[in-house]
């Protein structure tokens, strides 16, 4: 039983000392209201890790997205083909502002009529701008937090270990 207690204590300490990033995922939609693609709508998802942008912080940098799944005008985008300009979070963790697209730099995203691209802004702005390579158009945007959070694997492993050890200890006591 001493060995079991030591193993359980070691597992608890290991899980506490390991800080893992929690992905925060938002689903969003955009609708073009002007330009050559007026009336066209699309949906997607974007995400970032809470260790990169902790609650109560603002981060104006590129490469903040850990996840992006978005198709606009037949082109699929990922974090390697689009980047961020900024992500701001309130103290309670709520997303205050997010800005990302195909041509972003710290604190700014833009589109050019001469090349295909887009940018998305949420928060008080909730807007979308795009270029189809010929003209610039504008639209509306919405984003909402994906509420179904999946437990991280370390938590599930620790739960499984704890239940297994409890079963083992109970079995030893019964015999």
């Amino acid at each position: 039983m001493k060995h079991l207690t030591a193993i359980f204590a070691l597992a608890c300490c290991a899980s506490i000392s390991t800080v893992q990033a929690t992905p925060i995922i938002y689903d969003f939609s955009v609708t073009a209201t002007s330009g050559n693609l007026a009336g066209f709508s699309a949906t997607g998802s974007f995400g970032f890790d809470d260790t990169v942008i902790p609650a109560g912080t603002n981060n104006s940098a590129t490469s903040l997205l850990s996840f992006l799944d978005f198709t606009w005008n037949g082109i699929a985008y990922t974090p390697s083909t689009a980047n961020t300009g900024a992500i701001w979070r309130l103290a309670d963790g709520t997303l205050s502002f997010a800005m990302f697209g195909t041509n972003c730099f710290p604190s700014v995203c833009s589109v050019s009529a001469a090349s295909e691209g887009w940018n998305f802004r949420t928060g008080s702005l909730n807007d979308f701008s795009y270029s189809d390579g010929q003209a610039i158009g504008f639209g509306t945007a919405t984003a909402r937090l994906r509420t179904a959070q999946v437990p991280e694997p370390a938590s599930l492993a620790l739960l499984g270990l704890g239940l297994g050890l409890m079963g083992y200890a109970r079995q030893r006591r019964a015999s």
Side-chain angles (χ1 to χ4, degrees):
M1 190 66 179
K2 287 181 187 179
H3 296 300
L4 242 46
T5 305
I7 291 170
F8 184 69
L10 183 61
C12 287
C13 289
S15 70
I16 291 170
S17 65
T18 304
V19 176
Q20 294 196 358
T22 300
I24 299 172
I25 307 289
Y26 281 83
D27 295 315
F28 69 97
S29 63
V30 298
T31 301
T33 56
S34 69
N36 295 339
L37 299 175
F40 183 74
S41 295
T43 60
S45 301
F46 69 94
F48 53 88
D49 293 332
D50 68 343
T51 56
V52 175
I53 309 150
T57 64
N58 301 334
N59 196 335
S60 295
T62 59
S63 302
L64 298 176
L65 295 179
S66 58
F67 175 78
L68 176 63
D69 179 19
F70 180 59
T71 300
W72 178 253
N73 199 21
I75 301 171
Y77 295 95
T78 67
S80 63
T81 57
N83 56 39
T84 50
I87 297 177
W88 301 350
R89 294 180 67 204
L90 300 175
D92 66 0
T94 305
L95 182 68
S96 169
F97 177 73
M99 174 174 48
F100 57 89
T102 54
N103 188 32
C104 294
F105 302 94
S107 299
V108 65
C109 292
S110 64
V111 293
S112 165
S115 62
E116 181 106 18
W118 56 271
N119 72 58
F120 168 89
R121 295 186 303 180
T122 190
S124 62
L125 300 171
N126 289 327
D127 66 2
F128 179 74
S129 57
Y130 72 91
S131 171
D132 61 0
Q134 300 171 12
I136 294 175
F138 299 94
T140 59
T142 60
R144 68 178 171 69
L145 179 64
R146 187 179 290 175
T147 55
Q149 297 292 329
V150 177
E152 60 185 68
S155 298
L156 292 176
L158 185 59
L159 175 64
L161 178 65
L163 291 173
L165 289 173
M166 286 173 42
Y168 177 75
R170 186 175 185 148
Q171 182 182 16
R172 284 195 52 161
R173 239 186 256 144
S175 26

